[in-house]
Amino acid sequence: MTNVNITLNRTNDQKTDSTIHKIYVGVVLQKSAAVTEIIDDSGEGSSFCKKEKDLEITLNDDTVIKLSELIGDARETMRELYDTLLDVYFAKHVVNRLA
């Protein structure tokens, strides 16, 4: 499936902590689309983060797709970027502790 656009709007205040997802296929807003966070414990490494989290998207016509499938070939690059950012985060804390 191509031309799927996802927008996320997060609210982080004391009263609410929610994420609003808007899913578009082409230019058509999928008003009844649902986004569910899932854990892929199949061991296939299909997710780009360490906890094997993925987003499962159900469109208006009940088609179910995973974010990792939409990302496709860029998944490996994103996984490397994620690992690098974790290393930078760890190094920052080590340097701050030593300073």
Side-chain angles (χ1 to χ4, degrees):
M1 174 162 292
T2 59
N3 206 11
V4 174
N5 296 310
I6 303 168
T7 62
L8 299 172
N9 295 318
R10 293 182 183 227
T11 59
N12 292 324
D13 58 29
Q14 293 178 352
K15 296 179 183 177
T16 61
D17 185 15
S18 63
T19 302
I20 300 170
H21 305 87
K22 290 185 180 178
I23 311 296
Y24 295 87
V25 176
V27 295
V28 178
L29 174 63
Q30 302 290 300
K31 292 182 180 178
S32 62
V35 177
T36 308
E37 185 177 285
I38 59 170
I39 304 294
D40 182 8
D41 56 0
S42 65
E44 296 175 10
S46 61
S47 177
F48 57 86
C49 68
K50 292 289 185 196
K51 295 183 180 179
E52 298 300 325
K53 290 183 181 177
D54 206 341
L55 294 180
E56 187 175 77
I57 303 164
T58 306
L59 302 175
N60 287 352
D61 63 358
D62 292 330
T63 302
V64 177
I65 53 177
K66 289 183 181 178
L67 180 61
S68 59
E69 293 170 358
L70 292 174
I71 294 171
D73 296 336
R75 187 172 47 224
E76 187 60 35
T77 303
M78 292 181 72
R79 184 180 289 133
E80 290 173 11
L81 180 60
Y82 181 84
D83 289 342
T84 301
L85 289 173
L86 281 178
D87 292 342
V88 168
Y89 180 77
F90 176 73
K92 175 188 162 194
H93 284 291
V94 170
V95 169
N96 284 343
R97 191 67 147 168
L98 293 174

